[in-house]
Amino acid sequence: MDKISIAGLILGITAIVFGQWLEGGHIASLFQLTAFLIVMGGTIGAVMLQSRMDDFIAGVKMAKWVFVPPMQDFRRVLTTLVNWGQHARRGGLLSLEAFIGSEKDPFVKRGLTMLVDGAEPETIRRALELDVDAFESRARAAAKIWESAGGYAPTIGILGAVMGLIHVMENLTDPGKLGAGIAVAFVATIYGVGSANLIFLPISNKLRHHINIEIRRREMLLEGLVSIANGENPRLLENKLAGFIL
């Protein structure tokens, strides 16, 4: 669990609500269903319009990384690669076949399979580099939806504000309806700017951070598997890959 993400979200929202209370305002006035529907519905619709279905669904699923990031233990990866290198030097590359069945990561399983099948080191490198590039492209496209939401939300908030003011102008002769229209106008702007800067853009940045770490992990695995294919000494392999550890 990423505690700093949870703390940051709670602190940001609490600061706004507490600030409203300190100014003598009513906290209930910050909660307007109409403004929420305009801003959230408009923002989600705009993001869906610009995105492929696969990217949109993947981006929504990826949001859980903000609070429950994927486990990326570089020291464990290094230990595993050195262990494989030692097995390969003692029993040959075919001895690594025993590790394929227990490996859950498709990227690692593919690399080990190519090793056992006797593929040339450069062939392994090219294949795994293509895999890394494909992952990066898919992951960044998925994370892009949150950045896009952060761009659209403030504008949709302004649109909601204008709609609220139109409602006010249409009911100038009915004072009882003026308050609701003005509330929607200002709260829609708060929702738009607030959701963009407290939720959407921070999520986008956090996802990019985790994507970069995952790419680094895959590059470490790539270099390790290619080194094993080249028959490098496990001790030299360990020293070479130590630079990947964050």
Side-chain angles (χ1 to χ4, degrees), residues 87-230:
H87 275 272
R89 282 179 69 86
R90 289 197 303 264
L93 294 177
L94 285 176
S95 66
L96 299 177
E97 188 172 9
F99 297 99
I100 296 177
S102 60
E103 187 57 55
K104 297 180 181 179
D105 188 340
F107 179 81
V108 178
K109 182 173 289 189
R110 183 183 183 191
L112 281 175
T113 301
M114 295 181 73
L115 271 177
V116 172
D117 289 344
E120 293 295 323
E122 283 306 310
T123 301
I124 297 174
R125 179 181 293 278
R126 287 196 298 270
L128 295 184
E129 283 178 346
L130 287 174
D131 197 303
V132 172
D133 290 342
F135 166 79
E136 181 177 4
S137 178
R138 292 192 304 268
R140 294 198 186 282
K144 180 75 174 178
I145 71 166
W146 295 100
E147 181 181 351
S148 300
Y152 292 131
T155 305
I156 302 298
I158 294 174
L159 177 62
V162 173
M163 292 173 64
L165 292 176
I166 291 175
H167 179 71
V168 170
M169 298 300 292
E170 289 176 343
N171 294 279
L172 286 177
T173 57
D174 187 354
K177 296 183 179 180
L178 297 182
I182 294 174
V184 170
F186 288 104
V187 174
T189 304
I190 292 175
Y191 283 175
V193 176
S195 62
N197 291 280
L198 288 176
I199 300 175
F200 299 140
L201 293 179
I203 287 178
S204 173
N205 291 331
K206 181 61 75 73
L207 291 180
R208 282 206 299 266
H209 170 72
H210 288 307
I211 290 170
N212 290 336
I213 294 178
E214 175 61 18
I215 291 172
R216 188 178 182 89
R217 185 187 73 89
R218 293 184 180 223
E219 290 175 344
M220 181 180 184
L221 285 163
L222 184 156
E223 291 296 334
L225 292 169
V226 171
S227 296
I228 293 173
N230 282 321

Side-chain angles (χ1 to χ4, degrees), residues 2-47:
D2 191 339
K3 295 180 180 179
I4 193 171
S5 293
I6 298 174
L9 180 61
I10 293 175
L11 177 61
I13 295 176
T14 301
I16 293 174
V17 174
F18 188 63
Q20 168 77 351
W21 178 76
L22 283 179
E23 287 294 321
H26 296 288
I27 295 178
S29 63
L30 293 177
F31 300 96
Q32 295 288 338
L33 180 59
T34 303
F36 179 83
L37 292 176
I38 291 172
V39 174
M40 293 299 116
T43 300
I44 293 172
V47 173

Side-chain angles (χ1 to χ4, degrees), residues 77-87 228 234-235 237-239 241:
V77 172
L78 179 58
T79 300
T80 300
L81 287 169
V82 171
N83 181 46
W84 290 345
Q86 292 170 344
H87 275 272
I228 293 173
R235 184 170 298 177
L237 170 65
E238 183 176 9
N239 290 332
L241 299 182

